[in-house]
């Protein structure tokens, strides 16, 4: 056994003995039964805080305290056995059944202290102690019940009034009060002393036996518990207990009645109620603060997670915007490459194949003339060959012009759109008219060729899908924007069904290249209107995004 443990055991025994002498000063049955028994609280705290190694110290203090009263040593040992079993059983019940925490910050811990330690374990000490006194002849058998009740109340007072402040002092760090809190605490205890003196000690004001007067101290219990937590509640309870017992023993206050024993019984019950009230209020306040702290922690954690997710979403959005910009740039490059390829193929058809076919046509014409001059029978076949060659030349020129309208730069967009309308009319299936604003002169070659391609694709869609009888092409300039639209009077189509088609993809890509807006509208005639709006002064397409919109009931092609 270490020296430290011996010193602690000796300290517990000495403190128990001193507290017992204070309590026995208010003995109500002989020299051993009292309604004021602080050692029960001291012993319980010693075992709860320092462990069951403190049992010898408790037993020694109890034996010395009882032997000091002059009872036989065997009787003193019996009473000390009950005094020792009480805190041991109380600690076991609290720790094993209730999961007791010494901080008393949960209402469950307070209820456990009241029921298991304050009520149940103290009964054991009362049974053993009073039984020992009865066997020793100190207490008559007929007085067993009344003596047992007094013993039980005294021990309960020690558990409920003395144990809590000791637990708080040993389990909680000392709070650092601000100047304002110090002033408030001083005001609390000063006003409590004044009111307590008037209730319990003032000879002229304190009413004998008028118990409702004691209720005036409960506002101070509430004040101390809610504003200063467990320390405030237990200290206010201690001050009230001291003031009340002082007045009661002096014959003043609401608990001073004819019999001193009855006076102390009333005081004991009152102090126990005050202690329980303060502890429950302090525990409820502590639970509320913990709940608020948990809510704040959860809110802060949620805000942190939201911030993290927001940052992740922002980074993801930035990446998506970058990817979309890159995709649009690649689409623009593809459109430009495609246009360059079409231009190259068109030029090859016009300048290569076209010239070659023209040479063949000249040779065919010469051959035809010679055969005709000689009246040869092959003349008709040569004529047919010459006709097919000329048709091939026309076909090659039309294909070359469709691949790249070379005259677009010299004649302008409006003229080429008029030629496109003529070509559409030549198919013989529908009429096609062009309405061009005289101010819509597109000088930028890239804008002109892409507007022309959009018109081509829109007309192609109408020819394939609309079953229209009439088409109209509009080219206008509104403020700083060009607007090109192709309208039909056909059966219309669902833009959602063709949104992923090659033609619609081409329209979107060209609109993106021009930094414009592509609209697909259902007009009043039931047909569709496909239009693009783009800036007259072209900007870099990679910095802009196009927009595709579908609307119902748009303006008709009037």
């Amino acid at each position: 056994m270490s020296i430290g443990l011996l010193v602690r055991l000796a300290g517990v025994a000495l403190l128990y003995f001193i507290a017992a002498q204070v309590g026995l000063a208010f003995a109500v049955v002989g020299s051993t039964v009292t309604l004021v028994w602080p050692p029960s609280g001291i012993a319980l705290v010693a075992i709860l805080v320092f462990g069951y190694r403190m049992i010898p110290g408790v037993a020694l203090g109890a034996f010395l305290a009882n032997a000091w009263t002059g009872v036989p040593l065997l009787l003193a040992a019996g009473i000390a056995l009950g005094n020792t079993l009480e805190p041991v059983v109380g600690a076991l019940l609290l720790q094993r059944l209730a999961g007791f925490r010494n901080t008393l910050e949960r209402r469950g811990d307070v209820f456990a202290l009241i029921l298991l330690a304050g009520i149940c374990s103290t009964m054991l000490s009362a049974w053993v102690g009073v039984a020992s006194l009865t066997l020793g002849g100190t207490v008559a058998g007929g007085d067993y019940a009344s003596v047992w009740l007094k013993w039980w109340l005294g021990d309960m007072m020690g558990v409920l009034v003395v144990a809590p402040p000791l637990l708080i002092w040993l389990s909680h760090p000392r709070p650092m009060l601000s100047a304002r809190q110090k002033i408030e605490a001083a005001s609390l205890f000063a006003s409590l002393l004044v009111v307590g003196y008037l209730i319990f000690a003032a000879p002229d004001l304190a009413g004998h036996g008028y118990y409702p007067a004691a209720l005036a101290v409960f506002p101070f219990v509430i004040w101390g518990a809610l504003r200063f937590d467990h320390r405030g509640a237990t200290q206010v309870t201690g001050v009230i207990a001291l003031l009340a017992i002082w007045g009661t023993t002096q014959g003043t206050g609401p608990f001073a009645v004819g019999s001193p024993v009855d006076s102390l019984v009333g005081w004991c019950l009152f102090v126990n109620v005050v202690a329980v009230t303060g502890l429950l209020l302090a525990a409820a306040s502590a639970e509320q603060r913990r709940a608020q702290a948990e809510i704040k922690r959860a809110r802060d954690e949620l805000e942190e997670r939201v911030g993290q997710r927001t940052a992740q979403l922002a980074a993801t959005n930035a990446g998506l915007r970058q990817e979309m910009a890159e995709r649009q740039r690649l689409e623009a490059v593809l459109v430009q490459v495609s246009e360059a390829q079409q231009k190259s193929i068109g030029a090859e058809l016009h300048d290569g194949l076209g010239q070659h076919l023209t040479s063949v046509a000249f040779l065919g014409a010469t051959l035809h003339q010679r055969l005709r001059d000689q009246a040869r029978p092959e003349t008709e076949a040569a004529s047919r060959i010459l006709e097919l060659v000329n048709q091939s030349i026309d076909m090659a020129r039309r294909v070359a012009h469709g691949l790249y309208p070379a005259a677009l730069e010299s004649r302008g967009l409006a003229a080429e759109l008029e030629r496109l309308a003529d070509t559409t009319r030549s198919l013989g299936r529908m009429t096609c008219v062009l309405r061009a604003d005289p101010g819509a002169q597109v000088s930028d070659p890239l804008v002109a060729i892409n507007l022309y391609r959009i018109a081509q694709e829109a007309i192609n869609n109408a020819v394939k899908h609309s079953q229209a009888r009439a088409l109209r092409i509009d080219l206008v300039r509104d403020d700083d924007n060009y607007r090109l639209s192709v309208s039909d009077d056909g059966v219309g189509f669902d833009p959602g069904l063709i949104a992923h088609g090659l033609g619609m993809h081409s329209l979107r890509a060209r609109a993106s290249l021009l930094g414009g807006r592509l609209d697909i509208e259902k007009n009043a005639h039931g047909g569709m209107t496909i239009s693009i709006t783009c800036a007259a002064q072209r900007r870099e397409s990679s910095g802009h995004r196009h927009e595709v919109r579908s609307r119902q009931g748009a303006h008709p092609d009037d």
Side-chain angles (χ1 to χ4, degrees):
M1 184 177 295
S2 65
I3 298 178
L5 179 59
L6 289 174
V7 171
R8 187 166 293 175
L9 288 172
V12 169
L14 179 60
L15 187 60
Y16 192 105
F17 178 79
I18 294 174
Q21 300 310 308
V22 174
L24 291 173
F26 302 95
V28 293
V29 178
S31 60
T32 55
V33 180
T34 176
L35 288 162
V36 183
W37 190 245
S40 60
I42 294 173
L44 179 64
V45 171
I47 294 177
L48 286 175
V49 175
F50 302 111
Y52 295 96
R53 296 179 299 174
M54 297 296 105
I55 294 177
V58 173
L60 177 60
F63 175 76
L64 293 177
N66 287 284
W68 196 264
T69 62
V71 299
L73 294 180
L74 184 59
L75 181 59
I79 298 173
L81 176 62
N83 294 147
T84 305
L85 288 176
E86 174 192 310
V88 173
V89 173
L92 284 172
L93 292 175
L94 289 174
Q95 293 175 340
R96 300 293 176 85
L97 296 183
F100 183 76
R101 296 180 185 177
N102 295 341
T103 55
L104 293 175
E105 291 183 337
R106 301 179 303 179
R107 281 175 291 184
D109 294 332
V110 175
F111 282 119
L113 181 69
I114 296 170
L115 296 176
L116 299 180
I119 296 178
C120 295
S121 68
T122 52
M123 291 181 179
L124 179 61
S125 176
W127 282 328
V128 174
V130 178
S132 299
L133 292 177
T134 303
L135 293 175
T138 304
V139 175
D143 297 331
Y144 183 92
S146 63
V147 175
W148 183 93
L149 179 62
K150 295 179 180 66
W151 190 302
W152 179 57
L153 289 176
D155 282 14
M156 186 189 302
M157 171 265 167
V159 171
L160 298 181
V161 177
V162 177
L166 292 177
L167 287 174
I168 299 303
W169 180 64
L170 293 172
S171 304
H172 288 256
R174 185 174 181 179
M176 299 297 295
L177 300 180
S178 63
R180 182 176 179 179
Q181 289 175 317
K182 291 179 180 178
I183 294 174
E184 182 181 358
S187 302
L188 167 62
F189 286 101
S191 57
L192 175 61
L193 289 173
V194 172
V195 173
Y197 175 78
L198 296 176
I199 294 174
F200 299 109
D204 299 332
L205 298 177
H208 296 281
Y210 186 66
Y211 298 111
L215 300 179
V217 301
F218 279 94
F220 298 98
V221 177
I222 298 172
W223 185 359
L226 298 184
R227 295 294 295 166
F228 299 99
D229 302 329
H230 296 80
R231 287 182 180 271
T234 54
Q235 290 175 11
V236 167
T237 300
V239 172
I240 293 173
L242 292 175
L243 289 172
I245 196 170
W246 177 39
T248 301
T249 56
Q250 298 298 319
T252 60
F255 305 111
V257 292
S259 169
V261 174
D262 293 339
S263 299
L264 287 177
V265 169
W267 167 86
C268 185
L269 291 173
F270 172 73
V271 170
N272 287 338
V273 171
V274 170
V276 169
T277 302
L279 290 175
L280 288 175
L281 284 174
S285 178
E287 287 183 341
Q288 183 180 15
R289 286 195 307 274
R290 286 198 303 274
Q292 292 174 346
E294 183 64 22
I295 292 174
K296 182 179 182 302
R297 186 195 64 78
R299 183 191 64 189
D300 294 342
E301 182 178 351
L302 179 60
E303 290 180 351
E304 182 180 356
R305 290 184 178 179
V306 169
Q308 292 175 353
R309 293 295 177 87
T310 302
Q312 292 174 357
L313 288 176
T316 302
N317 289 335
L320 289 175
R321 286 193 296 269
Q322 184 177 1
E323 290 180 5
M324 291 176 64
E326 180 64 16
R327 178 180 177 182
Q328 292 166 6
R329 186 189 68 81
L330 293 176
E331 287 179 346
V333 170
L334 289 175
V335 170
Q336 291 174 323
V337 170
S338 176
E339 199 63 47
Q341 289 178 342
Q342 292 188 55
K343 180 178 180 181
S344 176
I345 296 172
E348 186 65 27
L349 285 174
H350 184 274
D351 299 336
L353 181 60
Q355 295 300 325
H356 185 72
L357 290 174
T358 301
S359 299
V360 173
F362 281 129
L363 291 175
T366 302
L367 177 61
H368 175 266
Q369 184 63 37
R370 289 179 180 178
L371 292 174
R372 187 174 62 180
D373 292 343
Q374 297 175 7
R376 298 291 296 274
E378 292 86 0
T379 301
E380 185 177 353
S383 176
R384 180 58 180 163
I385 292 172
L386 180 60
E387 182 182 351
L388 291 175
V389 171
N390 286 328
Q391 289 177 0
S392 298
I393 292 173
D394 291 338
M395 186 180 299
R397 287 176 179 174
R398 285 196 300 269
V399 172
H401 186 272
L403 289 173
Y404 187 76
L408 186 65
E409 298 179 3
S410 58
R411 298 177 57 192
L413 177 61
E416 287 303 304
L417 290 176
E418 181 63 45
R419 183 172 178 176
L420 180 61
D422 291 340
T423 303
T424 305
R425 287 193 298 269
S426 68
L427 297 175
R429 296 175 53 187
M430 62 182 68
T431 62
C432 184
V433 297
L434 170 68
R435 296 182 183 180
D437 188 346
Q441 299 297 328
V442 182
S443 58
D444 190 327
L446 181 62
V447 176
I449 187 60
N450 280 282
L451 291 179
Y452 181 81
R453 295 301 185 199
I454 289 173
Q456 273 187 316
E457 185 62 41
I459 291 174
N460 183 55
N461 284 334
V463 171
K464 288 183 178 180
H465 306 290
S466 70
Q467 303 178 21
R469 293 172 296 176
L471 289 175
R472 198 188 77 190
I473 306 172
D474 289 286
L475 177 63
V476 298
R477 177 166 180 170
D478 182 15
D479 296 331
D480 294 329
N481 295 320
Y482 293 121
R483 186 175 187 272
L484 172 69
S485 63
V486 176
S487 303
D488 65 73
D489 63 351
V491 297
F493 59 89
D494 185 356
L497 296 179
I498 65 168
H500 302 290
L502 183 59
M504 194 59 63
H505 181 77
S506 175
L507 292 177
R508 285 197 298 263
R510 293 184 183 279
S512 174
L513 179 61
L514 299 179
R517 185 184 73 243
L518 183 67
D519 295 321
I520 304 174
E521 309 167 351
K522 185 175 182 179
N523 56 48
H525 293 279
M528 300 302 297
T529 297
I530 297 178
S531 64
I532 179 174
T533 303
C534 64
Q537 298 295 328
R538 185 172 59 90
R539 293 165 289 185
E540 291 298 324
S541 61
S542 61
H544 302 272
R545 289 184 293 177
H546 73 283
E547 178 183 356
V548 179
R549 303 187 302 178
S550 300
R551 299 196 296 265
Q552 301 293 322
H555 194 277
D557 51 338
D558 51 2

